[in-house]
Amino acid sequence: MDAITTVLRRCEIFSGLSDADLSLIARAAHRREVPAGTRLFTQGEPRRGAVVIAEGRVEITRDNGEGAEPVVILGPGDVAGEQSFLAVSSHTATGTTRTAAVLLDLDRDSVLQSLGQDGAAAIAVLSKVANVLHQRLLYSATPRTGREQAYASGHTRRESDLIGPLEVPEGALFGVQTLRAVHNFPITGTPTSHFPAMIRALAMVKQGAARANARLGQLEQPIAQAIDTACQEIIDGHWHGHFPTDMVQGGAGTSTNMNANEVIANRALELLGHKRGDYAFCHPNDHVNLGQSTNDVYPTALRLSTIFMLKNLLEAMDRLKEALHAKGREFSDVIKMGRTQLQDAVPMTLGQEFEAYAVTTGEDIERLRETARLFLEVNMGGTAIGTGICADPRYPEVVVEELRKVTGLDIVLAANLLPPMQPGSSIMPGKVNPVIPEVVNQVAYMVIGNDLTITLAAEAGQLQLNVMEPILAYSLATSMRTLTSAVNVLTTKCITGITANRERCRDLVEHSIGIVTAVMPAIGYKRATEVAKEALETGVPVRELILRKGYLTAAELDEVLSLEAMTQPRPMR
């Protein structure tokens, strides 16, 4: 029982409770050991209680209709499913162990029954749960006032920068420069926290830098380890609510870089046993940003986040390609009129049309994969303008080596550390029917507009710095996220549900003058032209005119106008 109580005391929702209150919870706990890859709960299923992680790591993913995406990785002391203590509900995400784990299962009914023995204990525990959930909701608020109030407990701490002092909410992991950026740049209302890939990429850059500086003796080991751990927590999905800076800002991304520096520094301070804001022991600039500049951190993080988000887009496009191939096979025997210059041309199958869409989509996928390789070249160690000032000469090679380990990507150091311009690209999925493709087209128009923004921002680089990278990052991230959603909608709500009216397609073929092309080898060019002209003038079907004129028998005509004859090459008779 003591061991279970010790584990529970590490949990946020149970911290501060008396031993007597904790013992009530401990009585309802069931300990179990599970291997890696164990599904603990599934999105949409009823919550039957909470799971406390004593040892190991659990990945939480959520599927919003676009495939499972990582939300957070939980570790020792974390709890999943505590909402079940307040009300009967369903899981909003899926939990799977990433490593072997030791868990404490807290059955909802058992916990509530145990708490029912002591009203004061019940109020204390449920109040803690409600407060934790309340804070999570506040952290996810998007309006500017919501972001500020998300950390407001009525208490502040005073921090200063070159401009002067500012009161920072006591509960905020960010500091004075982040808060000043929130005041200065209320541009889009879209905070960095809306793009988890960007935050994770920033944390990976900072983690790689801390490891490199520790290897080179530039950073004391305890501080480096605390920074490393703080970065890993952010990579795992924690603390993202503390990134409130607007995606579009002045300063080439300095505000976002400092936001990351301050959050990591303050979390590292906590890990070292100090208070937030006590920067003498771990400073956002002197320690977290050591050997770096916004001008190498921001574009490197942008490249990494682009690769991460591109993975989701490629998976969505692969699903679209497979759906198009499936329709190609399904409609392989549906005859329809092909058209050129908006006029009837020659017959083809509906399957051939969808196969063409699938091939084109596959080509776009390959182009995107080729483009992704270009983003593996980074300019870490270039610092301010690519000269490497304020960084150890050995640092660029070492930090890139560490970054490869952190990301698992084949990252290489740019041959010339002067920051290069950022490329951009866009895709327009094909139109299929009048409803869903209207949405897809609108997304495509937005992507094209963003592509122009990216192009202009990339062209705006001056001398050794491009200060327009924030709008480039916002436009690129928005395009990729929205385009991924649009491709998924097109696949699931349009392509996979398309049906073919075989009789109507055949009727349109037989009433089109375009099929004279198919009968021309049998009746000759002159007669075919004569039939086409009369069909156009009178509206009489080509088939009927050919039979009237006796150019071919019904059996011969059936052979000439067969699916195989009209849609595939074959020897001439």
Side-chain angles (χ1 to χ4, degrees), residues 22 285 292 433 486 544 563:
L22 279 175
N285 295 83
Q292 305 150 62
N433 79 13
E544 186 176 331
L563 180 68

Side-chain angles (χ1 to χ4, degrees), residues 257-280:
N257 184 35
M258 283 308 304
N259 190 171
N261 290 333
E262 290 175 341
V263 170
I264 294 167
N266 278 307
R267 179 57 186 149
L269 284 170
E270 291 181 327
L271 294 170
L272 290 167
H274 302 288
K275 293 182 179 180
R276 298 178 184 183
D278 201 353
Y279 296 134

